[in-house]
Amino acid sequence: MAPMMETFRLGPFVTPRIWTGLWQLSSNAWGSASVSKVRQGMARHVELGYTAFDMVRARSAYPVGSVLLIAIGSSNALWPVADHYGSAEIIFGQFRGSLPPSQQVVGATKWCVFKRVVPTRAVVLAAVQERMERMGTTSVDLLQASSRFHWQDYSDQNYLTALRILKDLKAEGLISAIGLCNFDAIRTDEICTQLGPGAIASNQVQFSIIDTRPLHGMTDVCEKHGLRLLTYGTLCGGFLADKWLGQPEPDLYSGNLTPSQRKYLDMIVKAWGTWSLFQSLLLTLRAIGDRHGGLSIANIATRWVLDHPAVGAVIVGASLRTLSFISKTPPSSHTPPQSARPPGARLGLSEHPDDNHRAFGFRLTDRDNADIEAVLAHSNGRTIITSIGDCGAEYR
């Protein structure tokens, strides 16, 4: 029997502790699939209880004014998508609109500011209304203000003005919950202090066994203000998986890696440690998984993050190809052979949403955590916050 789904409260919602990330729908770099196949994959997640989806405002590598093209339905007609937000919000909105009213599905999206702007009420309201229009709803479930792009320059404190206006719009019923994304501990504390108790529900940050920066200040801020962390990068783009155990270090520039994998491989071998040490970590996680009845490396890596009280949910990304793939894959707790995977499909929990439950229903023991810490002690993990900076600093 599969463990029961773990949930937590975020604002007015009760959501699972594993969310599905749709950020890769913002670019063809992760592959492509028909919208009908994507919806089938999303429906599979919902059937299994994974009812929370996270979206991102994307700024693609394509020239301004260009469009991304994705195929719609069996006709394979091309749908042009503007290069600001990608298609995630639109696809999510259409998918949610197809569900019965009794089925609660939570959609979390973001507001990114790409250039200096005076955040008047009209400007902020227009951004919120655009999110509602694209998602086909009368209110935004969770709107996350992102520190990436222009607001990565914290000297421009207009983010405080914008967040105060978002708080007003929440009171008017246009937003159900307000979150942050990639704000560091100092600014998160500042925002929560100035806006008052309960104004901010979450902060989305990178957090994994490799990248432990949230443990150096952010979790204290969460405890002080009652925030929950929504974490991405928890599986390091799929590197924290059995597939990579015993494998040689991949070529960063071979073209065989996804954009996420290139990002996380760079962190693993340049900021955190070496590929050899990473193999020691995978071997340790494999042994821990065996002690817990044959759980996967990904299960253990996910559980390690979930065991931290400040963490509300782990966000596991699903690409277009992955969503298409899982929609036609029967439930299985085993990784399909390489030949069965579509080209470019990312590895990790997102390929088997039915297997995500295996990260629930247990906690790591003192022995498990001691074994992990014995490996981490040889890494640069504790100094990443000084070499890279606090949460989100890599985007500044």
Side-chain angles (χ1 to χ4, degrees), residues 188-193 196-198 200 220-227:
T188 299
D189 184 40
E190 171 194 43
I191 290 167
C192 292
T193 299
I200 303 298
D220 293 332
V221 172
C222 290
E223 181 178 4
K224 176 181 177 181
H225 296 287
L227 265 70

Side-chain angles (χ1 to χ4, degrees), residues 102-177:
S102 60
Q103 176 64 68
Q104 183 191 77
V105 175
V106 176
T109 190
K110 299 179 181 70
W111 179 31
C112 301
V113 176
F114 294 108
K115 60 182 179 181
R116 183 175 294 276
V117 62
V118 178
T120 63
R121 177 181 168 88
V123 168
V124 179
L125 178 60
V128 174
Q129 289 175 330
E130 185 183 16
R131 309 281 64 71
M132 293 190 296
E133 180 180 349
R134 289 172 62 87
M135 297 170 73
T137 184
T138 56
S139 66
V140 180
D141 295 338
L142 174 65
L143 183 60
Q144 302 162 96
S146 176
S147 72
R148 290 186 63 177
F149 308 109
H150 175 65
W151 281 341
Q152 64 189 4
D153 177 7
Y154 286 137
S155 66
D156 181 356
Q157 292 198 315
N158 273 324
Y159 58 83
L160 289 169
T161 302
L163 284 161
R164 291 190 184 99
I165 297 172
L166 288 177
K167 182 181 177 182
D168 292 340
L169 296 179
K170 176 177 178 286
E172 296 170 21
L174 298 183
I175 304 168
S176 295

Side-chain angles (χ1 to χ4, degrees), residues 222-290:
C222 290
E223 181 178 4
K224 176 181 177 181
H225 296 287
L227 265 70
R228 302 305 294 272
L229 295 180
L230 306 176
T231 72
Y232 65 91
T234 297
L235 299 180
C236 292
F239 279 113
L240 286 169
D242 287 279
K243 168 186 168 61
W244 291 101
L245 179 60
Q247 298 299 311
E249 180 180 342
D251 181 356
L252 185 64
Y253 306 104
S254 67
N256 294 324
L257 302 178
T258 68
S260 290
Q261 287 175 327
R262 288 194 293 272
K263 168 188 171 181
Y264 292 113
L265 177 61
D266 192 65
M267 172 168 277
I268 290 168
V269 300
K270 293 183 179 179
W272 179 79
T274 65
W275 186 254
S276 176
L277 184 61
F278 183 67
Q279 285 296 311
S280 296
L281 177 61
L282 292 181
L283 190 62
T284 297
L285 298 179
R286 177 66 268 144
I288 294 171
D290 291 340

Side-chain angles (χ1 to χ4, degrees), residues 2 10-11 16 74-75 89 91 93 96 119 126 167 193 211 288 308:
L10 185 73
S74 59
S75 65
E89 290 177 324
I91 292 175
R96 180 161 63 178
K167 182 181 177 182
T193 299
D211 184 359
I288 294 171
H308 290 85

Side-chain angles (χ1 to χ4, degrees), residues 14-15 56 68 102 148 199 315 334 341:
V14 175
T15 77
V56 67
L68 304 179
S102 60
R148 290 186 63 177
I315 306 172
H334 301 287
R341 301 184 192 125

